Amino acid sequence: MKYFTKWRNMMIGLSVLVICLFIFQILQKQWISSILLILIALLFIAIFISFWHAIKVRGVKTEFDISRILGKDAKDALKIGEVGIITYNDEFVATWTSDFFAQRDISLVNKKVTSWIENIRDIFDEDIDSVIGFDQGHVYEILKKEEAQVLYVHDITELYGLRKEQWENQVVVGLMQLDNYLEYQSYENEEIVSKINTHLRTPLISWAKEHHLLIRRIRSDRIFVLLNRDILETIRQENFNILQIIKDEANKIDVSITLSIAMAYGTNDYEYLDSMLNELMELAQSRGGDQAALQQAGHKVHYIGGNSETSSQRSKVRVRIMAQSIQEAMKECDRVFIAGHVNTDFDCMGAALAMSNWAKALKKQAFIILQNVPRDQQLQETMDFYKQAIHDRYTFITANKATDMIDSKKDQLIMVDHGMPNISSARELVDQFEKVIVIDHHRRNEHFVIHPLITYVESQASSTCELIVEMIDSLPNHIPVFEAEATILYLGLIIDTNRFKMHTSARTFDTAAVLRRWGANANLAEKALCEDFSNFRLKTELVARGEPYFGHFMIAAIDDKELDRTMMAQVSDSLLKIKGCTASFTIANTKNHSVAISARSDGTFNVQKIMEKMNGGGHFAAAALERKDTTVEKLKEELLDKIKEDLKKHESNIVERR
């Protein structure tokens, strides 16, 4: 309407002039001409007001034939298909609408198109071609014609309803498992088992019925569930509160039982859903339980829960079974190749040496793919001390040499202290082996090696060294372990538990006792962990840079020094000793031109969840990540955002101290 403002102003000016002439004629007593002038003026004003009203009500019809733009056939097709058309001007004011809108009693002419459906603005402000809008119970799809001021509107209410109904009724299959239930069932008396069934099964069944889940028990500790996406979304909005309910009930009867949930959806291939479901349950279990693992076919796995570090219920029977399974697998292969992770530490090296001894005791050739792989400085110094013994007993090779040697069908790969190919010292070789064994204590994630022959992942264990020592000690046949290997294994135990202060159980101390019996040199271990004065001074300086955030977290961001992973871990451990700190993070540049984070927790906060959101990993109380093409400040900002996001979602990993 702004185009017609000048005409309105001219009319007002003429009216004022007529009034002045009328007054002049009255003063001159020219009565007849005065009456004629006023009649003509009134008639003109009436015509103009009528014209203006017509513009306001009906708008200015755009002077073009819509068939010129679309063609007559297309124009007729739009009518048959009940597609509406809106033309608009440079100010996004509707100048013309088709009969489609009149039939729905929608008046848009001379109004902003956004006054009808607000998110039409997105078509103009963003680089998108269409939007979905809602108005008076109808759903409309609005499309913009390129290089023309025309919008097409299609009523998709029925189609949208069908799509929504199809989405809500999409099949979701699930498994719910009571972690550690079988151990209690095997070793506890009937009274305890009865209490467990009363306090844990009853609320679980009640919760399932409340949410209209179809449930069937398939074994004593596992329940199959069937639901749809609508129910799943409701459960997700409640943040899977059944996890906390089961944990609270277990605490009341003093048992270490939690709930693991796996749910898969997004495809009508039921065989694939079954495969997804089993993998998700294995993921949830290997990550420590007390969590839900959800996955839509073709998408990433989402985890909810995992806010407590469950106590280990790893039975001696399971240890013995795993040891026998791994031993039988090694007997059936020709040669054994052992891989660790990059930036090798004591836990990784100790595990690799022990597995090499195990393979040789079975008369198999063993090769450790850790030559020329970066190592922790303290580890290198310890290996230099035992240089002759290690040189005589072990064969270290590079990944390139292994590539030329392996027979993918007859040889076997053992991955220790890691399960992800992208951080493996044998990264290029993992896919070539048909037989892969994984022994690890880090929580498993979706980047885990595909289809391993045997997987022994226990996130409750303090270290991979603990797992391997337990297995070797349970075997009837003798596996020779000498002072060098025992000392490195012992150091792996000490480092990963921060000198037995964290992530320990009675099994950890039993393992330490076994290693001392095997000849571990405790005095040498203590000396190996001593730091020189320059390192001590550097660590003290870096710790002083730590700053508190959100009341429970300490973050040290160092952007003017290049640090190794060991120093970063030591800084995080030191920050964790500050009163009130539940988790600490050290961010720094590394010597291989990347930026890394070392994260530590006192056991009440799950740092692994935070690191995983940033594409890192680890386990509950110790995790890390490394990334190229970024800066310390950017990584710090991202870390703070992830922590804040975690707290806002009420999924804080801080739990009550026990």
Side-chain angles (χ1 to χ4, degrees):
M1 296 304 298
K2 290 182 180 179
Y3 293 115
F4 301 95
T5 302
K6 61 181 181 179
W7 300 104
R8 181 190 62 190
N9 294 338
M10 288 174 63
M11 183 62 195
I12 292 170
L14 286 172
S15 299
V16 172
L17 180 60
V18 168
I19 292 169
C20 292
L21 288 173
F22 176 73
I23 293 171
F24 176 77
Q25 288 178 341
I26 290 292
L27 293 174
Q28 296 295 320
K29 297 182 180 182
Q30 297 178 5
W31 309 111
I32 297 174
S33 59
S34 298
I35 292 170
L36 288 173
L37 180 64
I38 196 64
L39 288 174
I40 293 171
L42 289 173
L43 180 62
F44 184 72
I45 290 171
I47 294 171
F48 181 81
I49 290 173
S50 177
F51 171 69
W52 187 263
H53 180 70
I55 291 176
K56 294 286 284 183
V57 173
R58 298 174 185 167
V60 180
K61 185 174 181 180
T62 304
E63 293 297 330
F64 70 88
D65 185 357
I66 197 70
S67 61
R68 276 186 178 178
I69 294 178
L70 304 176
K72 188 175 185 307
D73 293 339
K75 177 183 175 183
D76 294 340
L78 290 176
K79 287 182 179 179
I80 296 170
E82 293 188 340
V83 175
I85 302 173
I86 303 172
T87 64
Y88 58 92
N89 60 27
D90 293 338
E91 295 168 350
F92 310 115
V93 173
T95 56
W96 179 84
T97 60
S98 65
D99 294 341
F100 174 90
F101 297 93
Q103 293 166 3
R104 289 164 172 74
D105 197 25
I106 299 172
S107 176
L108 283 180
V109 175
N110 298 320
K111 298 176 183 176
K112 292 271 191 181
V113 290
T114 53
S115 67
W116 174 44
I117 294 175
E118 187 175 353
N119 64 328
I120 291 179
R121 186 186 306 277
D122 296 341
I123 290 181
F124 306 122
D125 294 344
E126 301 178 18
D127 188 20
I128 56 175
D129 297 324
S130 65
V131 294
I132 303 294
F134 303 85
D135 179 57
Q136 299 180 1
H138 289 266
V139 184
Y140 298 98
E141 183 179 21
I142 301 106
L143 300 94
K144 178 185 175 185
K145 179 174 175 59
E146 292 184 8
E147 300 178 359
Q149 294 176 326
V150 178
L151 296 177
Y152 303 133
V153 181
H154 185 206
D155 189 333
I156 59 168
T157 305
E158 185 177 355
L159 177 62
Y160 185 85
L162 290 171
R163 286 177 180 173
K164 184 180 179 182
E165 184 178 353
Q166 182 188 33
W167 183 89
E168 289 176 346
N169 292 322
Q170 192 177 60
V171 172
V172 180
V173 294
L175 285 176
M176 298 192 296
Q177 179 167 317
L178 292 170
D179 309 321
N180 305 324
Y181 178 87
L182 293 179
E183 281 77 5
Y184 280 98
Q185 190 179 48
S186 301
Y187 299 109
E188 298 292 345
N189 58 41
E190 287 299 320
E191 183 181 355
I192 296 294
V193 175
S194 177
K195 279 186 177 181
I196 292 171
N197 290 335
T198 302
H199 285 79
L200 302 185
R201 285 187 183 281
T202 302
L204 184 58
I205 300 302
S206 298
W207 176 84
K209 288 184 176 179
E210 179 187 341
H211 290 85
H212 310 292
L213 276 64
L214 187 154
I215 58 173
R216 287 292 181 271
R217 191 171 74 175
I218 55 178
R219 71 184 200 197
S220 59
D221 66 331
R222 185 172 284 192
I223 296 172
F224 175 80
V225 297
L226 188 66
L227 60 155
N228 61 29
R229 285 289 294 276
D230 190 37
I231 296 174
L232 176 61
E233 288 306 308
T234 301
I235 295 172
R236 290 190 72 164
Q237 288 173 9
E238 296 174 355
N239 206 29
F240 278 83
N241 59 356
I242 186 61
L243 297 171
Q244 189 63 43
I245 292 171
I246 294 299
K247 192 158 55 177
D248 291 342
E249 290 296 321
N251 288 336
K252 290 178 183 178
I253 58 175
D254 195 27
V255 295
S256 297
I257 291 181
T258 54
L259 181 66
S260 290
I261 300 174
M263 289 190 175
Y265 56 95
T267 176
N268 291 325
D269 185 339
Y270 296 112
E271 186 176 353
Y272 182 49
L273 280 177
D274 179 57
S275 173
M276 285 173 61
L277 199 57
N278 291 325
E279 289 180 5
L280 287 170
M281 180 52 73
E282 190 172 347
L283 271 173
Q285 291 279 295
S286 65
R287 289 166 55 87
D290 184 31
Q291 59 195 281
L294 319 173
Q295 185 177 26
Q296 181 178 357
H299 293 72
K300 288 179 62 176
V301 180
H302 292 276
Y303 302 101
I304 297 175
N307 297 331
S308 64
E309 191 167 21
T310 56
S311 60
S312 176
Q313 291 292 329
R314 192 170 68 253
S315 69
K316 292 185 178 180
V317 174
R318 174 167 164 75
V319 173
R320 218 167 27 245
I321 290 172
M322 292 305 304
Q324 291 170 357
S325 299
I326 291 172
Q327 181 157 280
E328 289 302 317
M330 284 197 285
K331 285 180 178 178
E332 293 174 2
C333 72
D334 283 0
R335 294 175 297 181
V336 175
F337 291 82
I338 302 162
H341 57 72
V342 293
N343 298 315
T344 313
D345 54 16
F346 281 104
D347 189 32
C348 176
M349 183 60 73
L353 298 179
M355 291 308 298
S356 178
N357 281 358
W358 191 348
K360 288 183 177 179
L362 299 175
K363 310 299 182 185
K364 301 294 179 181
Q365 283 185 294
F367 302 93
I368 301 174
I369 312 174
L370 283 173
Q371 187 175 350
N372 298 335
V373 174
R375 295 175 185 169
D376 178 87
Q377 184 179 350
Q378 292 174 328
L379 169 62
Q380 186 60 56
E381 290 172 357
T382 304
M383 293 190 70
D384 289 342
F385 182 85
Y386 289 113
K387 184 175 182 180
Q388 191 59 49
I390 289 174
H391 180 269
D392 292 343
R393 289 198 287 268
Y394 303 100
T395 305
F396 286 85
I397 61 172
T398 63
N400 289 336
K401 186 173 182 181
T403 303
D404 299 331
M405 295 173 59
I406 62 171
D407 184 327
S408 60
K409 295 184 180 296
K410 296 180 180 179
D411 296 334
Q412 187 177 85
L413 177 67
I414 300 178
M415 301 171 68
V416 295
D417 201 35
H418 73 296
M420 297 186 292
N422 61 332
I423 63 168
S424 180
S425 62
R427 177 169 45 197
E428 299 83 3
L429 307 176
V430 174
D431 293 338
Q432 297 182 31
F433 284 90
E434 292 186 4
K435 302 173 184 178
V436 178
I437 296 174
V438 179
I439 307 172
D440 192 16
H441 73 117
H442 298 98
R443 290 190 174 197
R444 181 173 173 174
N445 63 24
E446 62 268 28
H447 303 297
F448 200 76
V449 61
I450 301 173
H451 305 310
L453 178 66
I454 297 174
T455 301
Y456 188 30
V457 177
E458 291 285 350
S459 63
Q460 298 92 347
S462 68
S463 58
T464 307
C465 291
E466 179 181 318
L467 297 175
I468 292 176
V469 170
E470 278 190 334
M471 286 193 292
I472 291 176
D473 195 45
S474 71
L475 291 169
N477 52 303
H478 175 64
I479 309 297
V481 178
F482 305 100
E483 179 186 327
E485 303 93 296
T487 302
I488 293 174
L489 285 163
Y490 184 71
L491 279 162
L493 208 63
I494 292 175
I495 293 291
D496 276 27
T497 59
N498 194 13
R499 296 178 183 266
F500 301 107
K501 296 173 187 173
M502 298 167 54
H503 212 62
T504 58
S505 65
R507 309 284 283 270
T508 309
F509 293 99
D510 289 343
T511 301
V514 170
L515 288 169
R516 290 300 305 274
R517 193 171 70 242
W518 288 353
N521 190 328
N523 291 329
L524 178 65
E526 284 298 320
K527 290 180 180 179
L529 296 179
C530 289
E531 51 188 323
D532 58 37
F533 178 71
S534 60
N535 274 352
F536 177 79
R537 184 167 59 182
L538 175 61
K539 183 178 72 175
T540 305
E541 176 194 337
L542 298 176
V543 170
R545 299 196 193 184
E547 296 180 1
Y549 292 89
F550 308 115
H552 295 284
F553 307 97
M554 293 295 299
I555 299 177
I558 297 99
D559 57 3
D560 58 345
K561 297 181 185 296
E562 290 184 346
L563 305 179
D564 58 38
R565 299 294 287 271
T566 302
M567 177 57 70
M568 293 176 66
Q570 290 175 358
V571 172
S572 293
D573 287 334
S574 297
L575 289 170
L576 199 57
K577 296 175 183 177
I578 295 173
K579 188 175 182 179
C581 179
T582 58
S584 60
F585 304 85
T586 302
I587 312 171
N589 296 301
T590 66
K591 295 178 180 178
N592 59 346
H593 308 295
S594 61
V595 182
I597 299 180
S598 176
R600 293 292 184 270
S601 162
D602 66 351
T604 63
F605 185 86
N606 188 347
V607 291
Q608 185 210 14
K609 285 178 68 175
I610 301 297
M611 291 296 97
E612 280 188 337
K613 289 178 181 179
M614 299 173 68
N615 298 320
H619 55 77
F620 193 100
L625 70 83
E626 188 168 339
R627 190 184 297 173
K628 293 186 180 295
D629 301 322
T630 188
T631 64
V632 170
E633 189 59 33
K634 286 181 180 178
L635 213 53
K636 178 184 175 181
E637 289 176 5
E638 185 179 347
L639 172 63
L640 289 171
D641 287 341
K642 296 302 180 185
I643 295 174
K644 193 183 300 181
E645 177 185 316
D646 190 69
L647 297 176
K648 280 184 179 179
K649 287 182 178 178
H650 304 289
E651 292 181 26
S652 173
N653 303 317
I654 299 174
V655 297
E656 184 181 354
R657 293 175 185 266
R658 293 181 175 84

